[in-house]
Amino acid sequence: FSTGDELRSIGEPLDEGCVYDSNRYTIWGMLSRLGVEVLDLGVVRDEPEALRAAFNQAAASADAVITSGGVSVGEADHTKQVMKALGEVLFWKIAMRPGRPMAIGRIGNGEQQAMLFGLPGNPVAVMVTFLAFVRPALLRMMGCADAAPPLLQARSLDAIRKKPGRTEYQRGIVSTAPDGSLS
């Protein structure tokens, strides 16, 4: 599920200050490619009790719970606090861009536990954190030993700046040179 009072599902009218919930559909597509069963709990309001109910429902019926939004430290960002109250937050801040903040933990009671991935609200950060953290974890949970995607080597035509100590993913367009190399 996605969190946010400003989110609307596709087909709903957009009020002023609202945006369509693209993250839920993106995550759905990436999960479908893995062949997992997806339970869509929609959009959950930025209210601790609504989040608590959604987390409990999800943890009772799934091995992994994936949310987007609400993991920052803003006034309406309650995901991390509710995660902590219902389970444990294993880590929250990562030195990665895009992708910070995100939360990974466990949620549920003693007999029914689920892994929890609280992804950021930014659509690009959702895709990057899903591919970097969620996909490998789900594949491991499914029994896949080596789930690393193929890596391609390409030469950048422009200088790339990055902050020391932080992993950064940057968008680009890959093209093939006449000699067959990628740039």
Side-chain angles (χ1 to χ4, degrees):
F1 59 88
S2 294
T3 65
D5 293 343
E6 75 284 4
L7 298 179
R8 299 295 178 265
S9 293
I10 292 174
E12 292 181 349
L14 283 182
D15 297 327
E16 188 174 326
C18 293
V19 295
Y20 286 118
D21 178 19
S22 61
N23 291 344
R24 209 168 87 240
Y25 300 98
T26 300
I27 293 168
W28 178 284
M30 291 188 293
L31 288 170
S32 296
R33 292 186 72 181
L34 292 177
V36 301
E37 180 182 351
V38 181
L39 306 172
D40 183 1
L41 299 183
V43 175
V44 178
R45 297 191 59 77
D46 286 325
E47 299 167 0
E49 283 311 311
L51 283 169
R52 184 180 311 277
F55 279 133
N56 284 329
Q57 178 186 355
S61 56
D63 296 317
V65 177
I66 304 168
T67 68
S68 72
V71 290
S72 193
V73 291
E75 208 174 289
D77 295 323
H78 305 292
T79 300
K80 181 184 168 209
Q81 291 80 8
V82 175
M83 281 176 67
K84 206 174 202 177
L86 298 177
E88 66 177 318
V89 176
L90 300 173
F91 68 85
W92 176 49
K93 289 186 178 181
I94 55 174
M96 186 171 106
R97 180 180 177 184
R100 189 184 104 159
M102 69 168 290
I104 294 182
R106 290 187 199 94
I107 191 167
N109 60 33
E111 26 180 280
Q112 178 64 28
Q113 291 254 331
M115 284 299 300
L116 178 58
F117 301 93
L119 305 183
N122 175 283
V124 174
V126 162
M127 288 184 272
V128 170
T129 54
F130 182 93
L131 293 172
F133 293 96
V134 180
R135 182 183 182 276
L138 293 178
L139 288 171
R140 177 73 75 160
M141 291 169 69
M142 295 163 58
C144 295
D146 185 14
L151 295 177
L152 301 174
Q153 190 170 33
R155 183 176 57 97
S156 176
L157 299 177
D158 296 316
I160 297 175
R161 295 182 309 179
K162 88 173 221 44
K163 188 174 184 178
R166 178 168 72 185
T167 299
E168 293 194 20
Y169 293 90
Q170 299 193 14
R171 292 174 262 191
I173 298 171
V174 177
S175 58
T176 305
D179 66 359
S181 66
L182 301 176
S183 60

